Coordinates of all heavy atoms in Angstrom, one line a residue:
D1 N 12.8 13.1 -14.8 CA 12.1 12.9 -16.1 C 10.6 13.1 -15.9 O 9.9 13.9 -16.6 CB 12.4 11.6 -16.7 CG 11.7 11.4 -18.0 OD1 10.5 11.1 -18.1 OD2 12.4 11.5 -19.1
L2 N 10.0 12.5 -14.9 CA 8.6 12.5 -14.6 C 8.1 14.0 -14.3 O 7.1 14.4 -14.7 CB 8.2 11.6 -13.5 CG 8.2 10.1 -13.9 CD1 8.2 9.2 -12.6 CD2 7.1 9.7 -14.8
K3 N 9.0 14.7 -13.5 CA 8.6 16.1 -13.1 C 8.6 17.0 -14.3 O 8.0 18.1 -14.2 CB 9.5 16.5 -12.0 CG 9.3 15.9 -10.7 CD 10.1 16.4 -9.6 CE 9.8 15.9 -8.2 NZ 10.6 16.4 -7.1
Q4 N 9.2 16.7 -15.4 CA 9.2 17.5 -16.6 C 8.0 17.4 -17.5 O 7.8 18.1 -18.4 CB 10.5 17.3 -17.4 CG 11.8 17.2 -16.7 CD 12.1 18.5 -15.9 OE1 11.9 19.6 -16.4 NE2 12.5 18.3 -14.6
R5 N 7.2 16.4 -17.2 CA 6.1 16.0 -18.1 C 4.8 16.5 -17.6 O 4.4 16.3 -16.5 CB 6.1 14.5 -18.3 CG 7.4 14.0 -18.9 CD 7.4 12.5 -19.2 NE 8.7 12.1 -19.7 CZ 9.0 12.2 -21.0 NH1 8.1 12.6 -21.9 NH2 10.2 11.9 -21.5
G6 N 4.1 17.1 -18.6 CA 2.7 17.7 -18.2 C 1.7 16.6 -18.1 O 0.6 17.0 -17.6
N7 N 1.9 15.4 -18.6 CA 0.9 14.4 -18.5 C 1.1 13.4 -17.3 O 0.6 12.3 -17.3 CB 0.9 13.5 -19.8 CG 2.2 12.9 -20.1 OD1 3.3 13.4 -19.7 ND2 2.2 11.8 -20.9
V8 N 1.8 13.9 -16.3 CA 2.1 13.1 -15.1 C 1.7 13.8 -13.9 O 2.0 15.0 -13.7 CB 3.6 12.8 -15.0 CG1 3.9 12.0 -13.7 CG2 4.0 11.9 -16.2
Q9 N 1.0 13.1 -13.0 CA 0.7 13.6 -11.6 C 1.4 12.7 -10.6 O 1.2 11.5 -10.7 CB -0.8 13.7 -11.4 CG -1.6 14.6 -12.3 CD -3.0 14.7 -11.8 OE1 -3.4 15.4 -10.9 NE2 -3.8 13.9 -12.5
L10 N 2.2 13.3 -9.7 CA 2.9 12.5 -8.7 C 2.4 12.8 -7.3 O 2.2 14.0 -7.0 CB 4.4 12.9 -8.7 CG 5.2 12.6 -10.0 CD1 6.6 13.1 -9.9 CD2 5.2 11.1 -10.4
F11 N 2.0 11.8 -6.6 CA 1.5 12.0 -5.2 C 2.3 11.1 -4.3 O 2.4 9.9 -4.5 CB 0.0 11.6 -5.2 CG -0.9 12.5 -6.1 CD1 -1.3 12.0 -7.3 CD2 -1.3 13.7 -5.6 CE1 -2.1 12.8 -8.1 CE2 -2.2 14.5 -6.4 CZ -2.5 14.0 -7.7
T12 N 2.8 11.7 -3.2 CA 3.4 11.0 -2.1 C 2.4 11.0 -0.9 O 1.3 11.7 -1.0 CB 4.7 11.6 -1.7 OG1 4.5 13.0 -1.4 CG2 5.7 11.5 -2.8
D13 N 2.7 10.3 0.1 CA 1.8 10.2 1.3 C 0.4 9.8 0.8 O -0.6 10.3 1.4 CB 1.8 11.5 2.1 CG 3.1 11.8 2.7 OD1 3.7 10.9 3.4 OD2 3.6 12.9 2.5
S14 N 0.3 8.9 -0.1 CA -1.0 8.6 -0.7 C -1.1 7.0 -0.8 O -1.1 6.4 -1.8 CB -1.1 9.1 -2.2 OG -1.0 10.5 -2.1
R15 N -1.4 6.5 0.4 CA -1.6 5.0 0.5 C -3.1 4.8 0.0 O -4.0 5.4 0.6 CB -1.4 4.5 1.9 CG -1.6 3.0 2.0 CD -1.3 2.5 3.4 NE 0.1 2.8 3.8 CZ 1.1 2.0 3.5 NH1 0.9 0.9 2.8 NH2 2.3 2.3 3.9
L16 N -3.3 4.0 -1.0 CA -4.6 3.7 -1.5 C -5.1 2.4 -1.1 O -4.4 1.4 -1.0 CB -4.5 3.8 -3.1 CG -4.1 5.1 -3.7 CD1 -4.1 5.0 -5.2 CD2 -4.9 6.3 -3.3
D17 N -6.4 2.3 -0.9 CA -7.1 1.0 -0.8 C -8.0 0.8 -2.0 O -8.1 1.6 -2.9 CB -7.9 0.9 0.5 CG -9.0 2.0 0.7 OD1 -9.4 2.5 -0.4 OD2 -9.3 2.3 1.8
G18 N -8.7 -0.4 -2.0 CA -9.5 -0.7 -3.2 C -10.6 0.3 -3.5 O -10.8 0.7 -4.6
E19 N -11.2 0.8 -2.4 CA -12.3 1.8 -2.6 C -11.7 3.1 -3.2 O -12.4 3.7 -4.1 CB -13.0 2.1 -1.3 CG -13.8 0.9 -0.7 CD -14.5 1.3 0.5 OE1 -14.4 2.5 0.9 OE2 -15.2 0.4 1.1
Q20 N -10.6 3.5 -2.7 CA -10.0 4.8 -3.2 C -9.6 4.6 -4.7 O -9.7 5.6 -5.5 CB -8.8 5.2 -2.4 CG -9.2 5.6 -1.0 CD -8.1 5.7 0.0 OE1 -7.1 4.9 0.0 NE2 -8.1 6.8 0.8
V21 N -9.1 3.5 -5.0 CA -8.7 3.2 -6.5 C -10.0 3.3 -7.3 O -10.0 3.9 -8.4 CB -8.1 1.8 -6.6 CG1 -7.9 1.5 -8.1 CG2 -6.7 1.8 -5.9
A22 N -11.1 2.7 -6.8 CA -12.3 2.8 -7.6 C -12.8 4.2 -7.7 O -13.3 4.6 -8.8 CB -13.4 1.9 -6.9
E23 N -12.7 5.0 -6.7 CA -13.1 6.4 -6.7 C -12.4 7.2 -7.8 O -12.9 8.2 -8.3 CB -12.9 7.0 -5.3 CG -13.9 6.5 -4.3 CD -13.6 7.1 -2.9 OE1 -12.7 7.9 -2.8 OE2 -14.3 6.7 -1.9
L24 N -11.1 6.9 -8.0 CA -10.3 7.6 -9.0 C -10.9 7.4 -10.4 O -10.7 8.2 -11.3 CB -8.8 7.2 -8.9 CG -8.1 7.6 -7.7 CD1 -6.7 7.0 -7.7 CD2 -7.9 9.1 -7.7
G25 N -11.5 6.2 -10.6 CA -12.1 6.0 -11.9 C -11.1 5.7 -13.0 O -11.5 5.8 -14.2
I26 N -9.9 5.3 -12.7 CA -8.9 5.0 -13.7 C -8.9 3.5 -13.9 O -8.8 2.7 -12.9 CB -7.5 5.5 -13.2 CG1 -7.5 7.0 -13.1 CG2 -6.4 5.1 -14.3 CD1 -6.2 7.5 -12.5
E27 N -9.1 3.0 -15.1 CA -9.4 1.6 -15.4 C -8.1 0.8 -15.7 O -8.2 -0.4 -15.9 CB -10.4 1.5 -16.5 CG -11.7 2.1 -16.2 CD -12.7 1.9 -17.3 OE1 -12.4 2.3 -18.4 OE2 -13.8 1.3 -17.1
H28 N -7.0 1.5 -15.8 CA -5.7 0.8 -16.1 C -4.7 1.0 -15.0 O -4.2 2.1 -14.8 CB -5.2 1.3 -17.5 CG -6.1 1.2 -18.6 ND1 -6.3 0.0 -19.3 CD2 -7.0 2.1 -19.2 CE1 -7.2 0.2 -20.2 NE2 -7.6 1.4 -20.2
V29 N -4.5 -0.1 -14.2 CA -3.8 0.0 -13.0 C -2.6 -0.9 -12.9 O -2.7 -2.1 -13.2 CB -4.7 -0.3 -11.8 CG1 -3.9 -0.2 -10.4 CG2 -5.9 0.7 -11.8
F30 N -1.4 -0.3 -12.5 CA -0.2 -1.1 -12.4 C 0.2 -1.0 -10.9 O 0.3 0.1 -10.3 CB 0.9 -0.6 -13.2 CG 0.6 -0.6 -14.7 CD1 -0.1 0.4 -15.3 CD2 1.0 -1.7 -15.5 CE1 -0.4 0.4 -16.7 CE2 0.7 -1.7 -16.8 CZ 0.0 -0.7 -17.4
V31 N 0.3 -2.2 -10.2 CA 0.5 -2.2 -8.8 C 2.0 -2.6 -8.6 O 2.5 -3.7 -8.9 CB -0.4 -3.3 -8.1 CG1 -0.1 -3.3 -6.6 CG2 -1.9 -2.9 -8.4
A32 N 2.7 -1.7 -8.0 CA 4.2 -1.9 -7.7 C 4.4 -1.6 -6.2 O 5.2 -0.7 -5.8 CB 5.0 -0.9 -8.6
T33 N 3.7 -2.4 -5.4 CA 3.8 -2.1 -3.9 C 4.9 -2.8 -3.2 O 5.0 -2.7 -2.0 CB 2.4 -2.6 -3.3 OG1 2.1 -3.9 -3.9 CG2 1.3 -1.6 -3.6
G34 N 5.8 -3.4 -4.0 CA 7.1 -3.9 -3.4 C 6.9 -5.1 -2.5 O 6.0 -5.9 -2.6
S35 N 7.9 -5.2 -1.6 CA 7.9 -6.4 -0.7 C 8.5 -5.9 0.6 O 9.1 -4.8 0.7 CB 8.7 -7.5 -1.3 OG 10.1 -7.1 -1.5
R36 N 8.5 -6.8 1.6 CA 9.1 -6.5 2.9 C 9.9 -7.7 3.4 O 9.6 -8.8 3.0 CB 8.1 -6.1 4.0 CG 7.2 -7.2 4.4 CD 6.1 -6.8 5.4 NE 5.3 -7.9 5.9 CZ 4.3 -8.4 5.3 NH1 3.9 -8.0 4.2 NH2 3.6 -9.4 5.9
W37 N 11.0 -7.4 4.1 CA 11.8 -8.5 4.6 C 11.1 -9.3 5.7 O 10.5 -8.7 6.6 CB 13.2 -7.9 5.1 CG 14.0 -7.5 3.9 CD1 14.1 -6.2 3.4 CD2 14.9 -8.3 3.2 NE1 15.0 -6.2 2.3 CE2 15.5 -7.5 2.2 CE3 15.3 -9.7 3.2 CZ2 16.4 -8.0 1.3 CZ3 16.2 -10.1 2.3 CH2 16.8 -9.3 1.3
R38 N 11.3 -10.6 5.6 CA 10.7 -11.5 6.6 C 11.4 -11.4 7.9 O 12.6 -11.1 8.0 CB 10.7 -12.9 6.1 CG 10.0 -13.2 4.8 CD 10.0 -14.6 4.4 NE 9.2 -15.4 5.4 CZ 8.2 -16.3 5.0 NH1 8.0 -16.4 3.7 NH2 7.6 -16.9 5.9

């Protein structure tokens, strides 16, 4: 579905830190970074 839409950009191999998020200048952020098994 996402690949059919012109208003979507998908990036893999793109681990972001706080500075990189700030550089993007996007003010509405949803963080879905998951979890890891203990």
